[in-house]
């Protein structure tokens, strides 16, 4: 199969997944009991007032009409308006995306920076105390849920030591120093937990390299284990790492949403939770749709990145060697 | 207005947050036990000069800044008395005090109030708060088809508003009403700058000591000192209301030194964390929030007074408050709170007596017991109280099926559709016993005797009003119109450099005007 055909097929899967997701998201939000008309009227509500508002908001139209008008809007870049505040959903999403992206970025890069050296140590020194320590540390890290890690970090660094703020957010442009201070704990929490998972993959990827001929050759011509690993091992280990990081990205995103809750960060996660609680359906649908789009895009990019890293994949035989 | 989280409309505590909250609560409790020795008086990471800014934690963020078209209690929490001012104001003890009106008189027939405005009063725009502005506000609300129901009902008693001269306005009612003057101390009495034509959901146009500087959605609302304020100038340049929905996250931020004030502690069992008096001050008082165990009077067994009495007597309300709310709060026994002039402790009416309760149940024809559905919103006090009540009612042979609903679902199924036998929710609006006079309200109570007593009290002369209102309040207690579990406490935690916090929350406002920093 030619490269362009493979790209095309991958793109088809991408579009079909998005459509399927949009239908699923729509149906699930519609299945939620209670509605925004009720929330807007609060305890002032009379059944007549609720019915009138429902019709004004278009919530009484047939489901198919509602779905296609929402989908049509999406295709033209119109995510609808929040029923509660009247703001366009996209204008609500934009500042939230920035916060979540910072968090995901710090979490992902931080976890890679932590996991690669840790995994290499765990592989090279696997028979000494240093390797064992890293492996045990990684096991503990995997066992700790993200929210628990976050709470632990808050209690130690904010409540006991009072070095860092416990929660909240300051935009980068408002005050870069405060912005950084407020992202340290959530960023490290996310990075730490993800690094624990990643370390195990890095370790096993490097362990494989240690048994390869090219590694033995490099060692036999007098290279140190570290130099041989860095020179030959890293690129070979990278393929399995990219796969894992790609898979991890969705879990980093989910982790970020949990971390946002623990640290009261105004990201996508808190937007989503509040919107669900208040049945602000366009906001719920828009946010989830964006998350789906992000995850699908990432997994498509991961697929494409194999082509860059592994020359074998670029041949027309798809690397089936 | 009922209210779940005692400060606004929809509680943000979903399951995921519940887990987080539980974890954080445990960790903070551990931290509280050990931090006393280590941290006292230490400096904080983000310490700014305390006399210029104030950082206040609140639970629920308003989606809009417009209190005329949005029922959220979180709007008056930040805006009332701070940004918007009213003709009269309620003080911390529950008394009516002058604000924009210096004084007022009531006509012989008790129908016409004449307000004498403070000549100094002016809006942030520089325009004077004159009689024409007051009349314009009443007309604006009367002619607004989208005005929220609460305000519409409060306004219904107003027949006319007329300019007497620039500094005097005469408001005539259709019937005498004691409650109306109280209502004028809340959103109904706000005087909005009539020259303002912008978007009220994102901007404000008041006459108060602060103006809204920024609303960072999802985070905070920043108030800035109004330089042109006509009265005592604001004590802070900036006041930030930080919205942190998780009570334990609020506690963590306070313990770490990021906050100056927790406007109302949502988890009273965390009070010991703030025991270090070298860092914190805890101000305890009362609120208008009655935690009402609502009975659906359309439910067949509950239409029977003996059953209602039996249920009341089966619940040890003192033990419930100790278990559920750490013993903080007030036992009330009817729909009045300690700052109401007509309050008296009626918690002794139908006292805890399970044996008598069982007997009453048998007399009502339920000797073999009965099954009731308790549908509560997922908020801490309601969920905990429901479990406690279910366990106590089991002792007299009543099976309670507890069902927890998120607040939106509760609003739609319990509040609007009346699909329930029992429920628990806090009613946080001031002087809200009149709700029992409305047979369409979700309790479906509507006793004509009570409605009559209530109206007589509302229309009574000043010297008789309080006594008559007491009769109405007692009637509710004796008729077991609902079961009043307790009144929510006002628990304000501040850094110990902050002074002047009002003890009682007598309105929905978090009133900044008396607060200062040392």
């Amino acid at each position: 199969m030619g490269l362009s055909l493979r790209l095309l097929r991958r793109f088809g899967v991408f579009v079909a997944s998005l459509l399927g997701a949009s239908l699923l998201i729509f149906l699930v939000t519609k299945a939620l009991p209670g509605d925004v008309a009720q929330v807007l009227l609060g305890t002032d509500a009379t059944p007549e007032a609720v019915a009138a508002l429902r019709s004004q908001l278009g919530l009484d139209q047939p489901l198919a009409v509602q779905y296609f008008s929402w989908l049509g809007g999406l295709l033209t870049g119109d995510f609808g308006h929040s029923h509660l505040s009247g703001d366009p959903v996209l204008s609500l999403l934009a500042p939230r995306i920035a916060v979540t992206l910072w968090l995901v970025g710090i979490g992902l890069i931080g976890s890679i920076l932590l996991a690669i050296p840790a995994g290499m140590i765990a592989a090279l020194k696997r028979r000494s105390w240093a390797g064992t320590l890293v492996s045990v540390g990684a096991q503990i890290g995997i066992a700790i849920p993200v929210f628990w890690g976050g709470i632990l970090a808050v209690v130690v660094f904010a409540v006991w030591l009072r070095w860092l703020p416990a929660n909240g957010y300051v935009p980068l442009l408002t005050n870069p120093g405060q912005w950084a201070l407020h992202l340290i704990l959530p960023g490290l929490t996310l990075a730490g937990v993800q690094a624990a998972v990643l370390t195990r993959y890095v370790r096993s990827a490097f362990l494989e390299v240690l048994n390869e001929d090219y590694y033995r050759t490099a060692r036999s011509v007098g290279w140190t284990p570290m130099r041989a690993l860095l020179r030959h091992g890293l690129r070979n280990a990278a393929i399995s790492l990219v796969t894992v990081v790609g898979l991890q990205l969705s879990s980093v995103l989910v982790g970020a949403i949990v971390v946002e809750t623990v640290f009261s960060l105004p990201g996508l996660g808190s937007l989503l939770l509040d919107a669900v609680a208040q049945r602000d359906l366009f906001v719920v649908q828009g946010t989830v749709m964006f998350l789906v789009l992000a995850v699908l895009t990432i997994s498509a990019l991961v697929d494409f990145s194999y082509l860059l890293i592994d020359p074998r994949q670029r041949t027309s035989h798809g690397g089936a060697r | 207005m009922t209210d779940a989280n005692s400060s606004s409309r929809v509680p943000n505590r979903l399951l995921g947050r519940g887990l987080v909250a539980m974890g954080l609560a445990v960790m903070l409790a551990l931290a509280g036990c050990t931090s006393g020795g280590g941290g006292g008086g230490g400096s904080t990471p983000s310490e700014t000069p305390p006399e210029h800014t104030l950082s206040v934690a609140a639970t629920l963020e308003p989606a809009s800044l417009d209190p005329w078209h949005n029922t959220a209690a979180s709007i008056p929490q930040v805006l009332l008395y701070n940004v918007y001012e009213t003709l009269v104001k309620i003080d911390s003890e529950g008394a009516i005090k002058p604000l924009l009106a210096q004084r007022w008189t009531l006509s012989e027939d008790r129908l016409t109030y004449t307000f004498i405005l403070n000549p100094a009063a002016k809006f942030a725009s520089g325009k004077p708060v004159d009689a024409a502005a007051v009349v314009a506000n009443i007309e604006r609300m009367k002619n607004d088809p989208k005005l929220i129901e609460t305000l519409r009902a409060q306004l219904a008693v107003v027949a006319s508003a007329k300019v007497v001269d620039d500094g005097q306005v005469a408001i005539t009612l259709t019937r005498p009403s004691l409650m109306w003057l109280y209502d004028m101390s809340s959103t109904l009495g706000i005087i909005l700058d009539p020259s303002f034509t912008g978007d009220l959901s994102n901007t404000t146009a008041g006459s108060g000591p602060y103006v809204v500087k920024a609303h960072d959605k999802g985070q905070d609302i920043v108030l800035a000192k109004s330089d042109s304020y006509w009265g005592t100038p604001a004590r802070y340049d900036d006041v930030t209301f930080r919205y942190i929905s998780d009570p334990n996250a609020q506690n963590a931020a306070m313990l770490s030194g990021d906050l100056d004030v927790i406007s109302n502690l949502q988890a009273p069992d965390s009070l010991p964390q703030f025991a270090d008096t070298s860092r914190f001050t805890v101000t305890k008082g009362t609120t208008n929030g009655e935690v009402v165990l609502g009975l659906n009077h359309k439910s067949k067994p509950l239409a029977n007074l003996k059953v209602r009495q039996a249920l009341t007597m089966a619940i040890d309300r003192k033990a419930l408050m100790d278990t559920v709310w750490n013993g903080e709060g007030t036992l009330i026994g009817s729909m009045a709170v300690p700052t109401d002039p007509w309050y008296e402790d009626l918690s002794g009416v139908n006292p805890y007596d399970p044996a008598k309760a069982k007997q009453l149940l048998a007399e009502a024809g339920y000797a073999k017991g009965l099954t009731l559905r308790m549908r509560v919103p997922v908020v801490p006090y309601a969920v905990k109280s429901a479990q406690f009540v279910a366990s106590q009612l089991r002792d007299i042979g009543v099976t309670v099926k507890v069902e927890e609903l998120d607040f939106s679902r509760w609003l739609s199924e319990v509040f609007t559709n009346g699909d329930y036998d029992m429920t628990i929710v806090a009613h946080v609006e001031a002087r809200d016993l009149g709700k029992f006079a409305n047979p369409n309200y979700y309790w479906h109570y509507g006793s004509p005797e009570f409605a009559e007593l209530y109206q007589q009290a509302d229309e009574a002369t000043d010297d008789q009003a309080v006594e008559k209102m007491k009769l109405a309040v007692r009637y509710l207690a004796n008729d077991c119109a609902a079961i009043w579990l307790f009144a929510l406490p006002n628990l304000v935690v501040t850094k110990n450099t902050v002074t002047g916090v009002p003890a009682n929350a007598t309105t929905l406002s978090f009133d900044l005007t008396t607060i200062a920093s040392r």
Side-chain angles (χ1 to χ4, degrees), chain B residues 360-373:
Chain B
L360 281 167
L361 215 51
E363 285 171 23
Y366 295 98
K368 288 184 185 151
L370 77 160
T371 300
L372 294 169
R373 285 188 314 151

Side-chain angles (χ1 to χ4, degrees), chain A residues 216-287:
Chain A
R216 218 168 303 139
T217 311
R219 289 278 286 129
S220 68
V221 299
W223 288 20
T224 63
M226 194 52 93
R227 187 177 168 203
L229 260 192
L230 286 178
R231 185 67 191 269
H232 294 303
L234 208 53
R235 191 168 172 117
N236 281 289
I239 295 193
S240 55
L241 274 188
V242 167
T243 311
V244 175
V245 169
L247 292 173
Q248 284 285 96
L249 247 175
S250 350
S251 92
V252 174
L253 206 55
V254 173
I257 285 171
V258 175
V259 166
E260 279 169 19
T261 310
V262 175
F263 291 95
S264 303
L265 297 177
L268 288 173
S270 50
L271 179 69
L272 186 60
L273 281 181
D274 290 348
V276 170
Q278 309 195 327
R279 303 293 187 271
D280 200 351
L281 296 189
F282 280 141
V283 178
V284 176
Q285 291 168 0
T287 311

Side-chain angles (χ1 to χ4, degrees), chain A residues 33 38-39 41 43-44 87 96 148 151-152 155 158 160 162-163 165-169 261 264 266 273-274 277 279, chain B residues 1-2 9 17 24 27 31 39 45 71 148-150 217-219 242 244 249 256 258 279 406 408-409 415-416:
Chain A
Q38 188 79 57
V39 172
L41 293 171
T43 49
D44 262 353
D87 297 323
R96 306 297 190 112
W148 187 255
I151 289 164
L152 207 64
V155 169
W160 281 348
R162 284 187 242 153
W163 288 350
N167 45 45
Y169 183 73
T261 310
S264 303
L273 281 181
D274 290 348
R279 303 293 187 271
Chain B
M1 182 183 306
T2 53
R9 187 180 46 196
R17 290 190 180 178
L24 194 50
M27 292 303 299
T71 56
I148 58 173
E149 276 306 315
T150 310
K217 292 195 172 162
Q219 294 177 74
R242 271 185 62 191
I244 306 177
S256 72
D258 301 346
R279 291 184 66 199
D406 86 338
S408 298
R409 193 169 162 208
F415 186 79
T416 304

Side-chain angles (χ1 to χ4, degrees), chain B residues 239-322:
Chain B
V239 177
T240 305
F241 279 77
R242 271 185 62 191
Y243 295 100
I244 306 177
S245 54
D246 183 77
N248 295 297
Q250 287 187 7
N251 296 351
M254 190 76 202
L255 289 168
S256 72
D258 301 346
L259 292 171
D260 298 307
V261 180
I262 293 180
S263 60
N264 190 4
L265 196 71
Q266 300 289 316
D269 50 355
S270 60
L271 270 176
Q273 292 171 17
F274 303 104
D276 180 355
T277 51
S278 69
R279 291 184 66 199
F280 304 112
T281 306
V282 177
T283 306
K284 292 185 184 182
T286 62
T287 66
N288 287 316
E290 299 101 346
V291 180
V292 179
L293 191 158
L295 305 171
N296 187 351
H297 291 256
K298 275 193 178 165
S299 163
K300 188 170 163 274
L302 297 178
N304 186 328
L305 174 62
K306 283 189 172 162
V307 174
R308 300 201 301 270
Q309 280 172 331
L311 295 179
T312 310
M313 295 176 110
I315 302 168
D316 183 350
R317 283 142 281 168
K318 172 79 174 66
L320 180 141
M321 189 170 81
D322 287 346

